[in-house]
Amino acid sequence: MTDHVVSLQAVNNQLSLEKYMQKKLIALAVAGLVSGGAFAQSNVTISGGIFMGYDSNKTSGGTATGGFGTVNRVTDHSSNLNINGSEDLGGGMKAVFQIDTRFGLDAPGGTWAGGNSHVGLSGNWGRVIAGKQDLHYNELAGGLGAMRVRSLQSLLGHGIMSEVNGVAITPRTRSNNVVMYNSPNMSGFAVQVAGSTAAFAAAEGGQAADGSKGSAWNLTAKYANGPINAGYSYWQNNEEGGNGATAATAASDQRSNRIWGRYTLPMGLALGLGWDSSKYDSDVTANTNWVKRNAWQATGQYTMGANAFYLQYAKAGNTSGAGAADSGSGAKAWMLGYDYALSKRTNVGISYTEVKNDSTSGTYDFFASATPTAGVGNKSAQWHLGMSHSF
């Protein structure tokens, strides 16, 4: 009997403690709401995506003969963790921020805020932010579509469509030191204007000898409404420190125009076409010799329930302005893929991607390739078996 009384008292004590804690929590919550402090007005969310796969990469032909074999690897394809926040400032205006961290599940590493990270203000007039941002090079993948289970090398819009025979147009990663304006969405139409004081460099140049002279800017106009997705993007880079300051074509003066359109038919078939015309200053000291090339890309995607099938083709034409190196300086690339949605957030898939350089002067490569595959006449091929999960 005594044991039962003790047990009953313990239960009553536990219930009393739980009621006390509940009252304390309710009181704290009410106090937070009544105070009207910044914490009560803040909204922070965590999201992201994981992209992992097994890749088999092979380079053959041309200058690769006898020098390259097959490389098999487990690879993270730019998984990311986003922390987004906003604070209501009143009058329809908000303070906003994003911390986009890219990490690798396959090996130690990663860079805190290495992705699209910024702080700024937004309202019914649009949004102004400052930080680092993907500009221009990523627009074809966004407008023409990409696989849900992506290999970075399968992104042809990031690859040969964003090169001029081996020279990258834009940093082909986040542009640094960016201020950007995004207009509100107007029945599917939106405009983006961005400027950078030093897109390729971690920091601007010094005051001495006009070390900070130079800038980049980007204008993008998009329309996405119903079955139609179309847009135009312009990129311009003026070398940091003035022409010839870096003595490298990779960060030289650049100009680029690209346009794209995609239409989705009622039966689930989406067809797209993109075009890019880019040039860079190859005479890094005098700004007198521009090397130019035109390229185009065609895409098809068929979605049937949880299944999606992809086919993409891209061709870069010969350059002009490079003299003898103009002949046979183009390349072709194509991608065939399939993925399956296990849920709204989880997908599995397989793809094959190939880049083939012309035999005389072509030196194109995969985007973000971890193996050295560029070379005259080379053929680079990749099989990718992967999985993606968003949260």
Side-chain angles (χ1 to χ4, degrees):
M1 182 66 179
T2 303
D3 293 338
H4 289 297
V5 172
V6 172
S7 298
L8 183 58
Q9 289 176 344
V11 171
N12 289 335
N13 291 338
Q14 180 65 28
L15 290 174
S16 298
L17 178 61
E18 289 178 358
K19 289 180 180 179
Y20 174 78
M21 292 301 297
Q22 288 175 357
K23 289 179 181 179
K24 291 290 290 182
L25 289 172
I26 292 172
L28 288 172
V30 172
L33 291 172
V34 172
S35 68
F39 179 80
Q41 298 179 17
S42 297
N43 178 32
V44 177
T45 61
I46 296 176
S47 61
I50 296 173
F51 303 89
M52 280 292 293
Y54 177 83
D55 304 337
S56 181
N57 302 275
K58 183 177 181 180
T59 302
S60 59
T63 57
T65 302
F68 291 91
T70 299
V71 177
N72 299 317
R73 56 191 182 129
V74 175
T75 309
D76 183 282
H77 288 271
S78 195
S79 297
N80 69 303
L81 175 69
N82 291 331
I83 302 174
N84 292 84
S86 65
E87 180 187 7
D88 189 352
L89 301 176
M93 190 161 66
K94 294 181 179 181
V96 296
F97 75 87
Q98 176 171 293
I99 300 172
D100 177 1
T101 297
R102 304 300 168 99
F103 58 90
L105 292 180
D106 55 335
T111 303
W112 173 256
N116 294 304
S117 302
H118 53 254
V119 66
L121 297 172
S122 70
N124 55 15
W125 42 266
R127 183 184 73 161
V128 174
I129 58 174
K132 61 173 73 73
Q133 197 73 26
D134 285 317
L135 298 176
H136 189 68
Y137 81 100
N138 60 316
E139 296 295 350
L140 289 178
L144 298 178
M147 290 186 64
R148 295 173 294 194
V149 180
R150 72 181 184 211
S151 154
L152 290 177
Q153 289 70 52
S154 71
L155 300 174
L156 305 187
H158 290 37
I160 74 171
M161 296 295 292
S162 295
E163 292 182 51
V164 178
N165 201 17
V167 176
I169 300 299
T170 79
R172 286 208 298 180
T173 183
R174 267 60 63 192
S175 290
N176 296 316
N177 312 299
V178 170
V179 175
M180 184 170 76
Y181 167 74
N182 298 97
S183 76
N185 189 302
M186 299 165 284
S187 300
F189 181 76
V191 174
Q192 172 183 295
V193 181
S196 169
T197 51
F200 289 83
E204 294 81 355
Q207 287 183 308
D210 285 330
S212 190
K213 180 181 179 181
S215 61
W217 72 279
N218 170 234
L219 169 66
T220 303
K222 303 178 186 179
Y223 179 79
N225 196 354
I228 301 174
N229 190 315
Y232 165 78
S233 182
Y234 174 77
W235 164 264
Q236 175 175 310
N237 182 66
N238 295 318
E239 188 174 359
E240 183 71 2
N243 187 257
T246 63
T249 56
S252 67
D253 291 359
Q254 299 179 348
R255 309 288 185 268
S256 180
N257 292 272
R258 56 180 37 183
I259 189 170
W260 65 91
R262 186 174 188 246
Y263 188 84
T264 302
L265 299 167
M267 76 283 291
L269 177 64
L271 300 173
L273 189 64
W275 177 83
D276 180 277
S277 181
S278 298
K279 63 181 181 179
Y280 71 92
D281 176 25
S282 64
D283 184 347
V284 296
T285 58
N287 194 22
T288 58
N289 190 50
W290 290 79
V291 176
K292 176 183 178 181
R293 73 95 185 91
N294 295 325
W296 61 273
Q297 180 181 2
T299 65
Q301 177 180 334
Y302 178 64
T303 303
M304 181 177 60
N307 304 276
F309 304 84
Y310 307 84
L311 177 62
Q312 298 191 7
Y313 177 84
K315 177 177 173 57
N318 289 340
T319 58
S320 61
D326 287 330
S327 177
S329 59
K332 304 177 183 66
W334 64 278
M335 183 275 289
L336 178 66
Y338 165 79
D339 57 32
Y340 181 83
L342 296 172
S343 70
K344 291 183 178 180
R345 298 177 179 271
T346 304
N347 309 277
V348 292
I350 186 171
S351 64
Y352 176 82
T353 308
E354 180 180 298
V355 176
K356 178 67 170 69
N357 282 315
D358 288 352
S359 59
T360 305
S361 305
T363 57
Y364 287 85
D365 199 358
F366 286 132
F367 169 68
S369 177
T371 56
T373 56
V376 174
N378 284 3
K379 182 180 81 171
S380 301
Q382 180 198 75
W383 282 99
H384 170 77
L385 178 64
M387 176 179 176
S388 67
H389 176 77
S390 61
F391 58 92

